[in-house]
Amino acid sequence: MEKDRAQWSSHVSFIIATVGSAVGLGNIWRFPYIMGKNGGAVFLITYLLLIAFICVIPLCCELAIGKLFKTDTVNAFKLINPHFKWFGWLCILTVLLIPCFYFVVGGWILNYIWIFLAHHIPQSFGDYFTSYSAQIFMPCFLTLTFLIMTAIFPYRGVNNGIEKANNIMMPIFALMLIVLAIFAIMQPNAVKGLEFMFKPDFSQFNKSMILTALGQALFTLSIGMGALITYGSYMKKDTNIIKSAYTLIFFDTLIAVLAGVMIFPIVFSFGLEPAAGASLVFISLPEIFSKLPYPSLFGVIFFILLFFAAITSGISIMETSIASFIENFHISRKKSTIIVSIIIAFISIPATLSFGILKDFKILNRTFFDFLDYATSNILLPINTLIICLIAGWCIKSFYKQVTDNIWLQRIFNIVLKFIIPLILIPVLIYGL
Ligand code: PHE
């Protein structure tokens, strides 16, 4: 085990780091476009219900497992039962696959910061994005640059790297988001955008939306791959799990909603399509920025904001596998960071190229990039989450005592964890797959 296991230096640092992990591209890039595609307010309601009542349970489980065993994901499951070690590795596989598409988007962000900074604003962002993402050299170079920029922080350690990065980047991020959201609601047709977000049209409700909302909820809260077990393992002994979980949920949701408030009023004011999909943030929004009085200013603020969100999540994604490699292969933190980076680099290159020369290479009818996103969010995360709940509920004696001291809360938690969660997750999974 890592000698003298690191600890967050304060409770606030722990919260900022977990919020930094949770708040990422999931909130600002994925959430608005998925909500746009799934009918707006109805999706938002489904998503909020799932987060508040369902996802909070596995979230508490992961934090409590981390706090209890004070070790990495693989060892934590091994300590519960040696037969569960394979499941720890399944989590690590998941968390190794996520950055392989996540960091591709990170590379696009770097490129957009550059074009706005250098005033190289193209005539049409639609044409630009399609031709840029289809190139070979530049996108691959920037995916790898983003990977290296992220890896620097876990390389430097928990307190000197991860904690410092979050403590600096997250407050700046929050400030930029508030400024842009205020600007957005001052736009002429903003009300239409807000209506789309908050006025439900129940005819839009459909069953497959539930799995999409669940996948999004798990992804955005970083649940289902051991990231929170790892961050929880650096937690102080007296940390209150339920309170921490709801604080995390509160901030993550607030930021996702603020991101929507920043994006949809602009989209409606300029007569764009809310269901534009993954390109919403890279085509529609920059298109609008380029028509504003200070295009570079808005473009730079928005993409730096996105960069901070992506890198603080990327750090937690990498730290999860780095911590497991350190403890299971008995190697130093530095070596582990390098090995994990090399693995991610190898898989993220074909993902980057799947918008160009590899666009016809399909798995399950999807490009490699889309396949990684789909396989992790819609398959691996829900399955892992179900297994984490089953293991915590049925294989750790009196697990509920780890979560809270309140007898009533313990009873409710125990019943929900053991019976209600499987009863909900299993059908959602079967139906969704
Ligand atoms: N929660 C992050 C986001 O919303 C993504 C993430 C996934 C982070 C898995 C850590 C682990 O972008």
Side-chain angles (χ1 to χ4, degrees):
M1 289 196 189
E2 212 178 350
K3 272 179 248 123
D4 305 323
R5 194 170 180 73
Q7 252 191 13
W8 303 114
S9 51
S10 68
H11 182 64
V12 176
S13 289
F14 161 66
I15 293 292
I16 294 181
T18 43
V19 171
S21 163
V23 171
L25 297 176
N27 304 60
I28 298 170
W29 166 67
R30 212 166 179 276
F31 177 76
Y33 92 71
I34 288 195
M35 182 158 84
K37 278 194 157 177
N38 286 278
V42 189
F43 178 84
L44 181 64
I45 295 172
T46 316
Y47 167 86
L48 289 179
L49 289 175
L50 281 172
I51 286 210
F53 297 109
I54 307 292
C55 298
V56 65
I57 304 286
L59 175 53
C60 288
C61 288
E62 284 203 30
L63 290 177
I65 291 176
K67 185 177 159 189
L68 178 64
F69 295 106
K70 292 232 157 293
T71 183
D72 69 283
T73 307
V74 176
N75 270 313
F77 286 105
K78 197 169 99 187
L79 287 172
I80 298 170
N81 184 324
H83 294 301
F84 293 156
K85 195 176 171 184
W86 65 269
F87 176 64
W89 284 116
L90 182 67
C91 289
I92 298 303
L93 173 72
T94 312
V95 88
L96 278 173
L97 292 179
I98 287 179
C100 301
F101 69 92
Y102 206 88
F103 290 4
V104 176
V105 184
W108 296 344
I109 295 172
L110 289 178
N111 179 54
Y112 271 67
I113 293 179
W114 164 247
I115 57 175
F116 277 106
L117 266 182
H119 297 281
H120 288 324
I121 298 172
Q123 285 292 322
S124 145
F125 273 95
D127 296 343
Y128 175 75
F129 181 73
T130 318
S131 77
Y132 170 76
S133 56
Q135 288 172 24
I136 297 176
F137 177 73
M138 212 44 193
C140 288
F141 173 71
L142 289 180
T143 300
L144 297 181
T145 308
F146 187 85
L147 165 64
I148 294 169
M149 290 171 103
T150 311
I152 291 172
F153 299 101
Y155 184 87
R156 300 188 54 185
V158 175
N159 300 106
N160 272 332
I162 302 177
E163 198 174 307
K164 275 200 187 136
N166 280 292
N167 285 350
I168 296 171
M169 291 183 206
M170 287 313 285
I172 305 179
F173 162 84
L175 196 73
M176 287 173 152
L177 183 63
I178 293 170
V179 170
L180 283 184
I182 293 177
F183 163 77
I185 43 179
M186 283 165 29
Q187 296 305 304
N189 264 329
V191 180
K192 268 202 199 147
L194 296 178
E195 263 179 17
F196 176 75
M197 272 189 76
F198 298 114
K199 204 168 142 197
D201 167 7
F202 287 101
S203 65
Q204 300 268 358
F205 186 83
N206 63 63
K207 283 187 234 145
S208 76
M209 190 176 98
I210 304 179
L211 183 69
T212 309
L214 178 71
Q216 170 60 21
L218 297 176
F219 184 85
T220 185
L221 290 173
S222 316
I223 300 174
M225 76 293 287
L228 294 171
I229 297 182
T230 312
Y231 270 21
S233 74
Y234 307 131
M235 192 154 69
K236 293 204 158 121
K237 260 208 202 101
D238 52 358
T239 313
N240 182 324
I241 302 265
I242 295 195
K243 231 180 170 174
S244 308
Y246 272 108
T247 312
L248 174 60
I249 287 183
F250 171 77
F251 281 113
D252 186 72
T253 310
L254 179 72
I255 288 171
V257 171
L258 266 180
V261 168
M262 166 176 79
I263 290 172
F264 289 113
I266 301 188
V267 166
F268 279 88
S269 283
F270 286 80
L272 298 169
E273 196 34 63
S279 62
L280 191 63
V281 158
F282 290 97
I283 296 176
S284 315
L285 278 186
E287 199 74 66
I288 296 164
F289 294 145
S290 67
K291 297 198 175 73
L292 294 173
Y294 302 102
S296 292
L297 180 70
F298 285 101
V300 169
I301 295 185
F302 179 75
F303 284 102
I304 289 186
L305 172 149
L306 209 54
F307 172 74
F308 282 162
I311 200 162
T312 49
S313 298
I315 290 172
S316 75
I317 297 177
M318 290 192 76
E319 173 64 12
T320 307
S321 33
I322 291 171
S324 281
F325 279 33
I326 293 175
E327 310 228 351
N328 290 281
F329 302 134
H330 310 287
I331 50 177
S332 69
R333 172 167 279 280
K334 300 204 154 118
K335 234 189 212 158
S336 174
T337 309
I338 293 170
I339 295 174
V340 166
S341 305
I342 292 174
I343 299 176
I344 296 173
F346 265 104
I347 313 176
S348 59
I349 292 298
T352 311
L353 296 176
S354 70
F355 292 84
I357 51 167
L358 293 183
K359 72 172 183 298
D360 294 323
F361 168 69
K362 301 242 161 107
I363 309 176
L364 293 180
N365 235 342
R366 292 176 170 82
T367 62
F368 189 54
F369 178 96
D370 287 338
F371 171 75
L372 286 174
D373 184 359
Y374 175 80
T376 49
S377 310
N378 288 30
I379 302 176
L380 288 168
L381 294 190
I383 292 182
N384 292 353
T385 304
L386 175 66
I387 301 180
I388 290 174
C389 289
L390 290 175
I391 291 181
W394 294 93
C395 307
I396 304 178
K397 208 167 154 254
S398 315
F399 180 71
Y400 48 88
K401 287 192 184 150
Q402 302 300 330
V403 174
T404 169
D405 294 329
N406 180 311
I407 304 280
W408 275 103
L409 278 180
Q410 285 182 352
R411 285 188 186 147
I412 299 173
F413 185 88
N414 192 32
I415 295 174
V416 177
L417 174 62
K418 279 187 165 161
F419 303 100
I420 303 191
I421 296 281
L423 269 176
I424 294 176
L425 285 187
I426 292 172
V428 170
L429 254 170
I430 294 177
Y431 182 82
L433 297 177

